[in-house]
Amino acid sequence: MADTPSEPPPITVVLPDGQEVTGRLHERQQTPEGWLFRVSVPAWQNTAEGTVEAAWYTVWVQAPAHVKRVAGASYGDVPTAYLKSPPSRSVREVLGPRRPTGWVLQKLDARGPDRGVLHAPDCDEAPEGAPVLELERALDAADKAGVRLCSLCGAGQELEPLLNGFDQGFDPDS
């Protein structure tokens, strides 16, 4: 099973009886109960002509209980659907049920180690008149050295899972 760009990356799938087989990881999805991975494992199937042929059986499984990484495999291109984190109770009390979409970058004095802070547009600490960034631009800004996420407005809680990448799902605490 060679790993080529046209096929999903390999992943070890743990079967209900504890056996481990190498399958393919097609996509992953975060749910309120944890992570689900859509995987395929090799199997056999009967054809209409009465013969047996190799096939792939595809199913959703819980991660990390039913999957393990394959050493050397890259999972960065696997389609991933993240669960939008609801703001904490204190954030809901401060901001109300809805907040404006987007993010605002507060530029800080360049002499210190912190270069900027990402805020929700209605955060009390957000600079007035600053342009509102869409998600991709906000993630690009957050990825730069010296930029941190505001904990007052929930920017950290909402953007941090998107910055962590694939490690989400393999760690039981994620």
Side-chain angles (χ1 to χ4, degrees):
M1 287 193 209
D3 189 19
T4 65
S6 63
E7 60 186 13
I11 192 161
T12 299
V13 179
V14 181
L15 300 178
D17 66 357
Q19 292 182 69
E20 295 181 1
V21 296
T22 301
R24 296 283 172 192
L25 176 60
H26 298 280
E27 62 182 301
R28 53 198 172 194
Q29 180 177 0
Q30 187 180 27
T31 71
E33 292 77 33
W35 285 89
L36 295 176
F37 286 16
R38 191 168 67 90
V39 299
S40 291
V41 292
W44 298 102
Q45 70 180 8
N46 294 321
T47 67
E49 295 80 29
T51 61
V52 177
E53 67 182 10
W56 288 95
Y57 175 72
T58 303
V59 64
W60 286 94
V61 298
Q62 293 178 323
H66 302 125
V67 292
K68 295 180 182 177
R69 298 174 188 264
V70 170
S74 173
Y75 300 108
D77 293 332
V78 175
T80 304
Y82 291 95
L83 180 67
K84 186 169 176 105
S85 300
S88 67
R89 181 175 171 210
S90 60
V91 171
R92 282 194 306 268
E93 290 172 2
V94 171
L95 300 178
R98 293 189 292 175
R99 67 167 184 78
T101 59
W103 307 97
V104 175
L105 179 61
Q106 175 187 14
K107 295 180 181 175
L108 301 176
D109 184 356
R111 291 177 287 204
D114 287 342
R115 305 251 184 241
V117 181
L118 269 173
H119 300 277
D122 60 347
C123 178
D124 290 339
E125 300 294 318
E128 287 192 37
V132 176
L133 306 175
E134 299 217 4
L135 179 62
E136 289 302 318
R137 294 207 47 220
L139 290 173
D140 289 343
D143 211 22
K144 292 187 181 352
V147 174
R148 61 184 172 84
L149 305 174
C150 178
S151 57
L152 176 67
C153 65
Q157 180 184 7
E158 291 187 34
L159 292 175
E160 190 67 35
L162 299 174
L163 294 169
N164 282 337
F166 186 66
D167 287 340
Q168 298 297 321
F170 277 112
D171 181 1
D173 298 326
S174 64

